[in-house]
Amino acid sequence: MKEKRSIILKEDELPDTWYNVIPDLPEPLPPPMDPPEGYSRVNDLPNLLVGECLKQEMTDQRWVPIPEGIQELYLAAGRPRPLYRAKNLEEKLGTPAKLFYKSEFYSPTGSHKVNTALAQAYYAKEQGFERLTTETGAGQWGNALAYAASLTGLECTVFWVRAVYRWKAERLKFMQIFGADVFASPSTQTEIGKKLYAEDPNHNGSLGIAISEGLQDAKNDPKAVYCLGSVLNHVMLHQSVIGLETKKQMEIAGEYPDVVISCLGGGSNFGGIALPWMHDVLTKKEDIKFIAAQSEVAPNLQGEYKYDFADHAEMTPMLKMYTLGHQVTMVPIKGDGLRYHGSSPILSLLRHLGFIDAIAYPADEIHVFERAREFVLAEGFLPAPESAYSVACAIDEAIKCKETNEKKTILFNVSGHGFLDMDGYAEKLGLIQPPERA
Ligand SMILES: Cc1ncc(COP(=O)(O)O)c(C=O)c1O
């Protein structure tokens, strides 16, 4: 029989629990802390986050049931998603490695971000909120939350890092179709936004600033709540659905990964694919190499492991994480969803203990986009610029296998599609612009 190209789960094979790695960690996870001065950010958390998400943030329950209502939303969003064997790519590369990729790009708005957006919107609705506020970098998270809000009958306000807002016109329209109010950040809607905007109306913005804006906006409106698309423990929990599906699929394929790869900004898609496999490493002593693909512009996993704020205006508690500093300036890139100063506390601890490797690709992004082109030519799917980092890393690892003649099984996540990011591809690959239409 021919080897399988796609491994597809039926609807009734959708996981009915999420996986929480916290009880399996070799050391207790350092909790959020207050800064030495000022009001208690920790005590302020119930005013900032959805109650159920905050409970999940602290839980040590290993398997957390996915409410039926959220399972329904996952099914409506097209879960479970296929796992593909990248046969064409293997052949083109001439590698003895086997390459498998998870297709989070098959998502209504284009990325894995819907997995936590749907959960957060569902819980916010249950708690009686009427509006969700958030930040977005690539635009994928803002779009996912706008979609989830519209499905659950909520309003949505998005603060979008200005450097990206400028070039993703189609993504803006998509968010607006779902009824979202979208502001380039720094904006003139919030105190912190106004201050930074007055200093520089062309400010590129950052995820740290956009988070502060989303938080301030929600704090000023009792009917609104802030939702974060990455970093936090409950986001890792919701995203575990990616890896849990993938484990079933690899089992069907009769394969087990030697290497698991994904891009990492704040850590949500990396955590999503990696942590269910990390369970095997931590509890069954399996040997898997985990690689996080990053940009030299924001190599947060190579920063310092210390307590730092998650936002620019110091409104969040301090989290123990790898960080480049919460007010650092980083130049914009096309994979701008990776331009965040910090990374998930869970993944940071695992990195600190030696379980996660990281690679940072050059700021010009040429290598990454060239690798994405190789992937498109072989497999046909167009990765989001951030996902192109996963693809680049997987191809680089497959080429190393060719050089050493190692038959490794490499699993990687393609966290989103790049259909609304063509200007990024055009710039990085030097594509010729079509003549202007008359
Ligand atoms: C498609 C896609 N992948 C990955 C990322 C990086 O974020 P995270 O590390 O939380 O997955 C983003 C961020 O916007 C994204 O849009």
Side-chain angles (χ1 to χ4, degrees):
M1 205 181 92
K2 279 188 192 154
E3 279 181 299
K4 276 186 186 292
R5 294 263 178 163
S6 50
I7 300 116
I8 295 171
L9 299 177
K10 296 195 206 81
E11 286 200 351
D12 60 10
E13 292 174 289
L14 178 77
D16 56 9
T17 59
W18 289 300
Y19 169 61
N20 173 24
V21 76
I22 291 176
D24 292 330
L25 292 172
E27 284 180 12
L29 188 68
M33 295 260 285
D34 277 322
E37 281 162 23
Y39 68 96
S40 171
R41 274 73 164 174
V42 174
N43 291 347
D44 202 28
L45 276 177
N47 303 324
L48 300 179
L49 295 178
V50 176
E52 189 59 32
C53 295
L54 190 55
K55 262 195 235 157
Q56 292 177 342
E57 196 61 21
M58 316 294 182
T59 185
D60 57 5
Q61 192 181 349
R62 183 173 287 106
W63 303 102
V64 176
I66 307 176
E68 262 180 37
I70 297 178
Q71 291 187 41
E72 290 290 339
L73 290 167
Y74 279 176
L75 294 178
R79 297 213 77 86
R81 305 207 189 289
L83 176 76
Y84 290 105
R85 171 92 184 264
K87 264 274 176 199
N88 293 357
L89 183 60
E90 287 169 20
E91 276 161 26
K92 282 203 170 182
L93 296 174
T95 177
K98 289 181 188 169
L99 290 166
F100 289 88
Y101 60 97
K102 182 69 167 168
S103 59
E104 287 302 310
F105 49 79
Y106 274 139
S107 141
T109 57
S111 81
H112 72 291
K113 296 282 182 185
V114 294
N115 301 331
T116 184
L118 290 169
Q120 293 190 43
Y122 175 89
Y123 290 129
K125 177 76 177 180
E126 264 196 338
Q127 206 180 324
F129 288 110
E130 293 177 9
R131 184 167 71 95
L132 309 178
T133 73
T134 198
E135 83 300 334
T136 194
Q140 293 268 21
W141 164 243
N143 214 155
L145 197 68
Y147 153 77
S150 79
L151 276 187
T152 47
L154 298 168
E155 290 171 40
C156 184
T157 305
V158 180
F159 294 91
W160 192 358
V161 173
R162 184 178 300 277
V164 194
Y165 178 98
R166 280 191 202 114
W167 68 274
K168 292 199 187 177
E170 306 304 321
R171 181 60 79 188
L172 172 62
K173 289 173 206 152
F174 199 6
M175 286 189 228
Q176 288 172 335
I177 285 176
F178 289 116
D181 282 324
V182 187
F183 301 99
S185 168
S187 76
T188 52
Q189 303 296 307
T190 66
E191 233 176 278
I192 177 75
K194 276 185 201 149
K195 180 175 168 287
L196 294 168
Y197 185 81
E199 282 166 23
D200 177 8
N202 291 316
H203 200 303
N204 281 323
S206 72
L207 277 167
I209 296 168
I211 292 172
S212 299
E213 292 214 82
L215 286 168
Q216 281 188 351
D217 183 18
K219 255 189 134 173
N220 292 337
D221 176 0
K223 295 197 171 117
V225 67
Y226 174 73
C227 298
L228 186 64
S230 191
V231 181
L232 297 179
N233 305 344
H234 67 271
V235 178
M236 301 298 126
L237 179 76
H238 302 156
Q239 291 294 357
S240 69
V241 69
I242 304 173
L244 292 170
E245 281 180 14
T246 307
K247 284 185 93 173
K248 290 190 189 182
Q249 290 164 313
M250 289 295 275
E251 197 180 327
I252 293 169
E255 299 287 346
Y256 199 86
D258 299 296
V259 188
V260 175
I261 292 170
S262 209
C263 61
L264 194 150
S268 72
N269 88 97
F270 183 92
I273 187 116
L275 290 176
W277 296 100
M278 192 68 79
H279 173 71
D280 291 4
V281 173
L282 298 174
T283 63
K284 300 180 195 155
K285 302 276 171 266
E286 289 288 354
D287 184 17
I288 303 175
K289 180 174 173 172
F290 296 93
I291 313 177
Q294 303 203 287
S295 164
E296 270 181 2
V297 158
N300 55 45
L301 287 183
Q302 294 176 42
E304 249 187 280
Y305 186 49
K306 64 173 190 186
Y307 272 100
D308 193 11
F309 294 101
D311 73 315
H312 183 97
E314 308 182 351
M315 294 178 69
T316 66
M318 300 183 85
L319 306 177
K320 182 91 182 263
M321 61 183 176
Y322 277 95
T323 174
L324 302 166
H326 65 284
Q327 291 181 344
V328 72
T329 307
M330 301 168 274
V331 293
I333 49 174
K334 293 300 168 200
D336 219 64
L338 304 181
R339 188 167 62 97
Y340 181 58
H341 67 272
S343 56
S344 135
I346 288 176
L347 298 175
S348 293
L349 176 62
L350 288 164
R351 160 93 172 148
H352 181 64
L353 297 175
F355 289 96
I356 298 173
D357 289 350
I359 174 156
Y361 285 103
D364 67 13
E365 300 185 285
I366 303 296
H367 177 74
V368 164
F369 276 84
E370 287 293 352
R371 289 296 194 221
R373 183 186 351 220
E374 281 179 67
F375 180 78
V376 175
L377 292 178
E379 298 294 316
F381 295 113
L382 183 80
E386 292 75 17
S387 319
Y389 284 71
S390 305
V391 167
C393 184
I395 294 180
D396 290 349
E397 286 298 305
I399 290 172
K400 279 186 212 156
C401 288
K402 182 177 175 179
E403 286 158 8
T404 54
N405 200 23
E406 281 177 289
K407 292 192 173 71
K408 286 188 184 167
T409 300
I410 299 172
L411 169 67
F412 61 108
N413 189 33
V414 183
S415 52
H417 71 59
F419 295 159
L420 303 181
D421 309 309
M422 290 314 299
D423 286 352
Y425 274 88
E427 185 184 314
K428 294 298 165 181
L429 297 179
L431 307 179
I432 296 163
Q433 299 290 334
E436 249 180 72
R437 298 210 186 131

